[in-house]
Amino acid sequence: MLKPLKIFLVFSLISFTQSLFSKDAPPEHFRVPKSTLDALERKLKEETDPSKRVQLLLRWVKNKEDYEQSLLEKKLGVEKASEQKNGDQLALFKGFKVDIVTRLQTEIADLAKHPKLNLDPLYHVLGFRLLELQKYPEAVMAFQKISGKTSEDFMGLGDAYFAAKNTRAALDAFEHGGLDSKYRNTAGYKRAWCFLQLSDFQNALAEFDIALEDNPYNTIKLKEEVFRDRLRPYVETYQKLIFDDEELLNLKKLASRVHPEALEKSKELLAAGLKALILNFNAKAQIEKAQAVFGYLTKEIKDPLSVLVLAAPIWIKVYRGQLNHEAVEKITDSLPSKKIEGFDTTLLETELYNSVVFYDTLFKEDNLPTTRKLLFKINKKFFQLFPGNQQADPLRVGYAKLLLEDGDPAECIQILSARKRGDKEVEDLALSLDA
């Protein structure tokens, strides 16, 4: 999940750059040449009428942005440049943005000498550019200067307040922005995050539900974020003793609202939501609720191996934390004895690694045969499933020593053969075996 501030900037700045000057947008992939930008510069130097200067400045910002994009496309190609524009634009073109902000601030200071002149369009552009440069207090000031704020201005002001850690003011700004149906869902989503920051989970949940409402302006991307992020306040405000059929049905309905015409995507989202609930309930030490959710999850996912890959790392972590060694051993025994293909096994790899480290430490403390047995089993399972993991060389040494103690030098050599060269302890052990 994205961090709140990053989410806010993604949803606000992308929509801003897509809508700004859209009436006169050039055809796709066409970029205004440098000569046009130079011509605007000359007109700005010559023009003395304040109202016309405002319009010229707005055109200059548009052309400056267009010229930026043309440079990026030449460097990366059109398709890659489009991807880069959203993600790393700030890093690549900070100089251009600073130029725009500096120019606007200078021009506004001069044009402000004309009290009847409408400077709202310039403050609008300035506010969003300051947001992009992460100058949040200055962005707040720019948006506040707008005398006739639009819903988009209120949304930008809310983003600036939130980033400046003025959460209460952000709530108010988003409320005003959300009065426009175009921004109602996004405003609800952002107000939900404000309430999360204030640990007001009940209101956060209510705002997330607003963000999920049907609206021609709502997007699948936003609804997917809402579905995932509302699970936290859902868990925080959950009052029932157990997760039951009614709660599963409600979650299914929410997933269907995100993907009303895509059953498979709805099922995938539901499964991801159930998995997140297991993790969240476990994090709050509400194991029985987590187990109940897992029961429903196994019914939603028909492939036994999928369930195993999903469940094993969750429950290994839970039972290891409870020092329920018997349960950890049973789960370890249930895992396949060879590399698992076609699944994301990152979490499983992590938890098996952590378990080796945990039980290695425990064995050094208690020196019990049962602990050694479990340590050996988990080591063996780890290298059966992830034989080529060169980041696991520290584990190879411990496992190799256990194999030697059990009189299995051949397997010991096999384990060490996949080592990453350069680890002195591993190399010394390998050399001693070769000798």
Side-chain angles (χ1 to χ4, degrees):
M1 183 181 69
L2 291 173
K3 298 295 183 183
L5 179 55
K6 186 174 181 181
I7 293 168
F8 281 18
L9 294 180
V10 166
F11 279 111
S12 59
L13 297 180
I14 290 178
S15 64
F16 166 67
T17 53
Q18 287 174 342
S19 64
L20 187 61
F21 312 113
S22 59
K23 292 181 181 179
D24 300 313
E28 188 177 4
H29 301 327
F30 173 78
R31 298 298 171 209
V32 175
K34 180 69 161 56
S35 59
T36 303
L37 190 60
D38 292 338
L40 277 171
E41 291 281 6
R42 289 193 297 271
K43 287 183 179 181
L44 277 167
K45 288 180 181 179
E46 298 167 0
E47 186 57 67
T48 57
D49 183 278
S51 296
K52 291 181 179 180
R53 285 190 65 80
V54 170
Q55 296 306 313
L56 283 171
L57 279 168
L58 292 175
R59 287 174 58 193
W60 176 81
V61 173
K62 174 187 180 299
N63 281 273
K64 187 79 167 176
E65 292 283 338
D66 252 0
Y67 182 63
E68 247 182 84
Q69 181 69 10
S70 69
L71 294 180
L72 185 58
E73 288 177 0
K74 287 178 182 178
K75 182 178 180 181
L76 301 177
V78 173
E79 185 175 343
K80 290 184 178 179
S82 177
E83 296 172 0
Q84 192 78 13
K85 190 74 170 176
N86 293 337
D88 299 325
Q89 185 183 28
L90 181 62
L92 290 174
F93 288 100
K94 187 173 182 180
F96 281 100
K97 295 182 187 300
V98 170
D99 287 346
I100 291 172
V101 166
T102 303
R103 180 68 174 271
L104 286 172
Q105 289 173 329
T106 302
E107 294 284 353
I108 288 172
D110 185 59
L111 291 168
K113 298 172 184 176
H114 306 275
K116 294 184 179 181
L117 188 63
N118 180 16
L119 297 178
D120 284 1
L122 294 183
Y123 282 121
H124 173 91
V125 175
L126 176 61
F128 279 101
R129 287 298 171 271
L130 287 167
L131 268 180
E132 288 183 299
L133 288 171
Q134 300 178 11
K135 294 182 179 294
Y136 305 122
E138 294 94 327
V140 167
M141 293 176 63
F143 285 118
Q144 285 177 333
K145 289 282 188 179
I146 300 174
S147 58
K149 294 181 184 65
T150 65
S151 296
E152 187 177 25
D153 293 327
F154 276 115
M155 296 300 289
L157 178 59
D159 289 341
Y161 273 134
F162 185 89
K165 303 189 185 305
N166 191 341
T167 309
R168 292 291 180 185
L171 275 168
D172 183 66
F174 290 136
E175 183 175 6
H176 282 84
L179 295 176
D180 185 339
S181 60
K182 182 178 180 180
Y183 297 102
R184 177 172 171 78
N185 303 98
T186 304
Y189 178 73
K190 294 184 177 187
R191 279 176 58 82
W193 267 103
C194 288
F195 282 122
L196 283 180
Q197 295 296 95
L198 297 171
S199 297
D200 185 346
F201 301 112
Q202 198 68 53
N203 275 319
L205 195 60
E207 293 292 338
F208 276 131
D209 288 339
I210 289 174
L212 270 177
E213 289 177 354
D214 291 332
N215 186 330
Y217 298 103
N218 209 349
T219 65
I220 290 178
K221 180 178 180 181
L222 176 59
K223 288 191 286 187
E224 286 179 339
E225 290 285 347
V226 172
F227 181 88
R228 287 189 288 263
D229 292 350
R230 76 180 294 280
L231 293 174
R232 181 190 170 196
Y234 172 83
V235 169
E236 294 290 346
T237 58
Y238 196 83
Q239 298 296 319
K240 293 183 179 180
L241 295 177
I242 201 69
F243 186 88
D244 55 22
D245 291 345
E246 181 184 12
E247 296 303 318
L248 176 67
L249 181 60
N250 290 336
L251 201 61
K252 281 184 175 181
K253 288 179 179 178
L254 287 174
S256 296
R257 286 173 62 185
V258 176
H259 294 289
E261 298 178 2
L263 182 60
E264 286 306 313
K265 287 186 177 180
S266 177
K267 287 182 177 180
E268 290 174 6
L269 192 62
L270 174 64
L274 291 172
K275 178 183 176 183
L277 282 180
I278 294 170
L279 295 173
N280 281 312
F281 280 131
N282 276 332
K284 292 179 67 66
Q286 297 175 0
I287 307 303
E288 288 185 3
K289 292 176 185 175
Q291 290 173 327
V293 176
F294 179 71
Y296 287 112
L297 179 61
T298 58
K299 296 176 184 178
E300 295 298 322
I301 301 178
K302 303 303 182 183
D303 182 0
L305 185 56
S306 297
V307 174
L308 186 60
V309 170
L310 178 65
I314 296 173
W315 296 115
I316 286 175
K317 183 177 182 179
V318 170
Y319 291 130
R320 190 180 67 229
Q322 294 178 336
L323 300 181
N324 188 340
H325 310 311
E326 183 179 350
V328 173
E329 184 172 5
K330 286 182 179 179
I331 296 171
T332 303
D333 288 340
S334 71
L335 292 169
S337 300
K338 60 182 180 180
K339 190 174 180 180
I340 302 172
E341 303 289 352
F343 295 93
D344 182 358
T345 56
T346 304
L347 285 177
L348 178 59
E349 186 174 14
T350 298
E351 288 310 320
L352 285 175
Y353 187 105
N354 291 342
S355 296
V356 171
V357 174
F358 176 84
Y359 283 105
D360 182 64
T361 302
L362 183 61
F363 180 55
K364 290 175 181 175
E365 293 174 356
D366 65 21
N367 202 33
L368 293 175
T370 52
T371 305
R372 185 190 186 282
K373 175 187 174 186
L374 183 52
L375 173 62
F376 186 92
K377 276 192 173 184
I378 300 173
N379 263 302
K380 182 177 181 178
K381 190 65 66 177
F382 181 91
F383 288 108
Q384 283 177 338
L385 296 176
F386 312 104
N389 186 336
Q390 294 188 339
Q391 304 302 315
D393 278 0
L395 272 59
R396 293 181 191 280
V397 174
Y399 185 36
K401 289 178 179 178
L402 292 176
L403 288 165
L404 280 178
E405 289 173 5
D406 289 352
D408 194 350
E411 184 63 20
C412 178
I413 292 173
Q414 179 65 30
I415 291 298
L416 291 175
S417 65
R419 68 191 182 277
K420 180 180 179 181
R421 308 286 172 169
D423 186 305
K424 187 175 187 305
E425 188 175 8
V426 178
E427 289 298 310
D428 288 346
L429 183 56
L431 288 171
S432 67
L433 288 171
D434 291 340

